[in-house]
Amino acid sequence: LHSTTTTTSGKKIPTQDILDKILEIANDIQNDTSDPLFCTILISSWISAMKTLWISSVEEQYTNETIKGIVEQIQDWGYTIREADNTYVALAALALAIPDRNSNNADMTQIIDTIYDTIIDSYHCHSFESEDVAHITLGLIAVRLAQNVVMDKVDSVVDILVGALHNGDGKQCFGSMLGLGMISQSLCLLQAQNIASSSNSVSTVRMQRI
């Protein structure tokens, strides 16, 4: 997943073209959660690709409605790409790229909430093909929610991931551990930055559980 919004000649690539290219590449991706290094690199690539997509949309001054349209396009990938789980990974990675407010000071948190609802509902409906990918995706969206101190939703994700570890019959679950690791790191940053005094105590309790 290449991270650029320009060609070698310096010409900007339209956001829709970037989205189409990501979809084309996504069709060739085969998730292999048996290889932790490969899986970690893949997740990093998704985050980079979605950040590029967001930067391009900002440059084109897309409205919130247009961004919602992009989210809907990605949701529709589940019907076409070989690894449907990549739809949810892409959505979570996009949520990480979306700020609370865009350049026009419009509130973007509703879009982030919509992405969370899509992912959590898909998890509870057993729509994921891989438990590992599901847990990693939950970890990604929880990291974004932690940035906004939406601790009730972060807590619900942590409960799922901790429960998955406890119910693993002694088997290690890479996805759950990576998801919890990402959340723990995010909560540590939350405390260090002193975003909100009320959130710090919640973060401490949650990190102790993790």
Side-chain angles (χ1 to χ4, degrees), residues 47-77:
I47 293 173
S48 177
M50 290 298 118
K51 182 178 180 180
T52 296
L53 183 69
W54 172 254
I55 291 173
S56 175
S57 71
V58 170
E59 291 174 348
E60 295 182 22
Q61 298 183 336
Y62 275 13
T63 64
N64 276 25
E65 288 303 315
T66 310
I67 299 301
K68 290 178 182 177
I70 290 176
V71 171
E72 291 173 357
Q73 281 192 63
I74 295 175
Q75 288 174 325
D76 288 342
W77 288 0

Side-chain angles (χ1 to χ4, degrees), residues 11-144:
K11 183 179 179 180
K12 293 183 185 297
I13 304 174
T15 298
Q16 186 59 52
D17 288 353
I18 295 174
L19 191 61
D20 291 343
K21 187 62 178 179
I22 293 174
L23 173 58
E24 179 184 338
I25 296 173
N27 271 313
D28 297 327
I29 294 175
Q30 184 172 356
N31 294 322
D32 183 6
T33 54
S34 65
D35 185 339
L37 178 59
F38 172 82
C39 191
T40 303
I41 293 173
L42 182 61
I43 297 301
S44 297
S45 297
W46 273 115
I47 293 173
S48 177
M50 290 298 118
K51 182 178 180 180
T52 296
L53 183 69
W54 172 254
I55 291 173
S56 175
S57 71
V58 170
E59 291 174 348
E60 295 182 22
Q61 298 183 336
Y62 275 13
T63 64
N64 276 25
E65 288 303 315
T66 310
I67 299 301
K68 290 178 182 177
I70 290 176
V71 171
E72 291 173 357
Q73 281 192 63
I74 295 175
Q75 288 174 325
D76 288 342
W77 288 0
Y79 301 107
T80 59
I81 61 176
R82 182 174 61 179
E83 296 275 358
D85 285 357
N86 285 326
T87 300
Y88 308 116
V89 178
L91 286 171
L94 178 61
L96 284 173
I98 297 176
D100 293 346
R101 293 187 173 276
N102 65 12
S103 56
N104 296 321
N105 203 36
D107 188 5
M108 304 293 289
T109 56
Q110 184 179 359
I111 296 176
I112 297 169
D113 289 340
T114 297
I115 292 175
Y116 167 81
D117 290 339
T118 297
I119 291 172
I120 201 73
D121 289 346
S122 298
Y123 179 81
H124 288 307
C125 291
H126 307 286
S127 299
F128 283 88
E129 297 174 355
S130 165
E131 282 292 308
D132 269 329
V133 175
H135 296 151
I136 292 169
T137 304
L138 288 170
L140 287 173
I141 192 63
V143 166
R144 182 62 187 89

